[in-house]
Each structure stands twice: as C-alpha cells, then as structure tokens.
Amino acid sequence: MVALGFVLGLLLPLMPRAHTSADVGFRFASYVDDHMVLQKEPAGAVIWGYGISGATVTVTLCQDQETIMKKVTQVKAHFNRWMVVLDPLKPGGPYEVMAQQTLGRMNLTLRVHDVLFGDVWLCSGQSNMQMTVSQIFNATSELSNTAAYQSVHILSVSLVQAEEELEDLAGVDLPWSKPTSENLGHGNFEYMSAVCWLFGRYLYDTLQYPIGLISSSWSGTPIEAWSSGRSLKACGVPQQGFIISDSVSGPSEHSVLWNAMIHPLHNMTLKGVIWYQGESNVNFNRDLYNCTFPALIEDWRQTFHSGSQGQTDRLFPFGFVQLSSFLSHANSDDGFPQIRWHQTADFGHVPNLRMPNTFMAVAMDLCDRNSPFGSIHPRDKQTVAYRLHLGARAVAYGEKMLTFEGPLPKKIELLAHKGLLNLLYSQQILVQRQDDKIFEGPFVPAHSSQPWY
C-alpha cells in the first residue's frame, strides 16, 4: 500500500480515477485510468493494483464489446497487490480494461475506458522540463494546436517527497487526459511539461500512432533527489556536509523524489525516458555528476526492467538536454561548461561506453537573454523538443540516414608555428567566411574525413 506515513511535504488528494463498483480495498494503481496509453508490441503492458489477500483477479481487455484477452492472477499475501502482463498488442484502440476480484461469494469490478496502445515516454528533471506550454515562444498558437494530436495523451505526477520508496503515487496532478489548451497551459511551472508535450507531438507526426507522455519533474532540484540510494552510494556521494547552492530551490535530500515520483512508476512498461536537469548541480556536487548521471540512467533502467517483469527494455533509450547558455551575473567560472562535459560522462558525446543507447539535444546555442523567467530558462522549447525527437528517431527507433547530431572531431592538432588549430572531423564541414574574423560552419554529413582549418 502507499506508505503515507513516510510522505513529506505537500500531499495532494488523489484525483478521481477508475470507475469502480468496489470499495477502496480493491483498486487499480493510481495511474491506471481512463485515457491511459499502454506500451505496444513487442513488449507486454503491465496492469496492476491492490486487492484482498488471496482473492482471484481476472483482467479482461475488450474492444467493441469483444473480448481480446483475459489474464488471471492472485492477490499476493502481505503485499495485497496483484499484477498481470498483457500479451503484446499493435498500436491502436480504444479498448476497455476490466478487472474483477472474486473471493468466495464476493465479486467486485473495476473498469477503465478509452485505453490506447502506443509508445510510453517518461519525462523528468527540473524547471526547464517543468515549464509549461503557456511559458514558451508562440504559446497561444501552440496551445491551440491540439486537434490533430488527440492520440497523444498526457499525465502529470504531483510534487511529493518521501523518505522511503513508495509503491504507488501519492498524488496525480493531471490524470491521463487528452490534450487541451487548459491542461497544457495550466500555469507557470505546473502541468503540463512543454518539452514533454512537444517531444511527443513531434514523435506522433512521424510515427502516426498513440503516444503516452508522463511528466514527473520539480524545479530547482539536484540529481541527488532523483537518484536511488544505491546509485548515490556507488558514486560516493557524501551523506552530510552539503553546502546548498543558490541554484537548489527544491528538494535536495537524497532520493526523496526518486522515492515518491519515479519509483511508484517502475511497474509500468516504458518505451524510454527524456531528461532535462543539471542546473542545480552546477555548484552542488558538480565534480560527481560524471558519475551520478550515468549511474541514475543505469539504475532507472534496471529498476524499470525488473518492475515490469522484464517488459521494459533493459537498455531502454534515454535522451537528455544539454544545458543551455545563460547570462551569469557572477564571474566567468560559472560551472556550466563542466556540467555539460559531465553530462556525457566526460566523453564529449553520446552514446558512449558509459552511456549506451542515449541521445542528447544540444541547447547551448539557445540562450534567451530576455526570458521573463530568467535566461537560464530559454523559451525556445520547440527546438529542444525537435532535437530530442530526432535523437529518439535515430537511437530509439533505429531510423537510418537521419542527421541528429553535429560533427565530432577525430583529431585536434595545434600548429603553433603557424598560429593554426587543425581539426579533423568524420563529417564534411563547409565553412563560409563572413569577414576576416567571422565565419560560419554549417556541415553536410559525409562518410569521408575532411580537415577544417
């Protein structure tokens, strides 16, 4: 059951969920609801909930009053939980999911409607992920652009902390919903994440099947709050002695958001994750980020794989956003270059040996000096999301001949006697001179190496 006794901070009441003829002893998990999106083939979607120990639960999937499949399980003793894994299904819908609990003469039934099968993506991080569509460029136009995307469904997790790992969400700000101007632009830094929404929208333009988006983010939070105790211990993150940075305005205690906002989702079958975080670690355990970030990715992958009974891929795709540039009022040593480097585990690019099956959206060219939310919060989330979706198409969906990252240097040579820096790239670089001091360097992908002087 949800361990309410361990919950810290604000606890919002659970939103109305599934239509039920049962009492509170028999229910679906908090996020199993009308309008939900379940992961399509080749994985099997997981349906779970709570019941009376020893009871039998039959889960039936129906479409147009026709039974598609049935799964039968028992409610586990002591935990009072039940779980089934559905057979893999092609993308589409809508379906109805019915769960029936029987114990002796007792018979209780739950139903959820308008269930779609597609790809489910989890979006997490801090304020740049939490910014809503109402805060970005062209907000009015973006908020009105929902009619063509009614198969992209959204869910937003409540801001909750917990001292121990919760099995279910303590709160849901926005239950599974179809997109509207109201739930996409609910307020500043409230649901729904603009990057998450736009990413899903761009994916839908390409894939043309349902997309499920889950937003679980909290502004001003360091990576330590989103990491399990296991991964923090593996990186030697100290338990005490922190000097909290001004950039850390949200929860910073170890694992409190992992416990309450990520772990409760771990039974869900996912396609992948996108992540936008790091600003709060510029002056907070910055030198450990080259370990804590890869460790978070590895730990989330293992936990979701295990929690979904092996249905979520063990190396599911993980995309992230490179930190943008911003106007610093401090000295030039602002720590952002180091964090950007650590975001790649000090390789300078992804995927790499320590971060397999990852992709990165470059954002350091998107500084927004006039942002009313501070230049650290650029309003151009369309470009960020578009670059993320390109990475997903290449890494998560295996699309070939798609340019989704910039040219990587193969060799750097300083020719000091000539005052030249010789860079050799694996992609062709076309340089256009503007004047004696300025040039532009757009690139055209090529298989042959070409030097750039």
Side-chain angles (χ1 to χ4, degrees), residues 283-304:
N283 294 309
F284 186 71
N285 290 331
R286 178 177 65 202
D287 293 341
L288 294 176
Y289 203 86
N290 59 355
C291 180
T292 51
F293 185 36
L296 176 144
I297 296 172
E298 169 62 20
D299 188 65
W300 284 27
R301 284 171 166 170
Q302 176 59 51
T303 302
F304 276 86

Side-chain angles (χ1 to χ4, degrees), residues 337-360:
Q338 291 91 335
I339 281 288
R340 293 189 194 101
W341 184 249
H342 293 335
Q343 283 184 297
T344 66
D346 298 351
F347 278 77
H349 62 89
V350 294
N352 58 54
L353 293 177
R354 292 185 61 197
M355 300 173 65
N357 214 32
T358 59
F359 53 95
M360 178 178 70

Side-chain angles (χ1 to χ4, degrees), residues 18-23 26-28 57-58 60 96-102 106-112:
H19 307 300
T20 174
S21 60
D23 59 21
F26 179 48
R27 67 175 179 87
F28 287 117
V57 176
T58 302
T60 305
E96 178 183 81
V97 175
M98 180 176 68
Q100 187 174 47
Q101 176 182 261
T102 56
M106 182 181 66
N107 193 321
L108 301 170
T109 301
L110 306 168
R111 287 184 174 87
V112 291

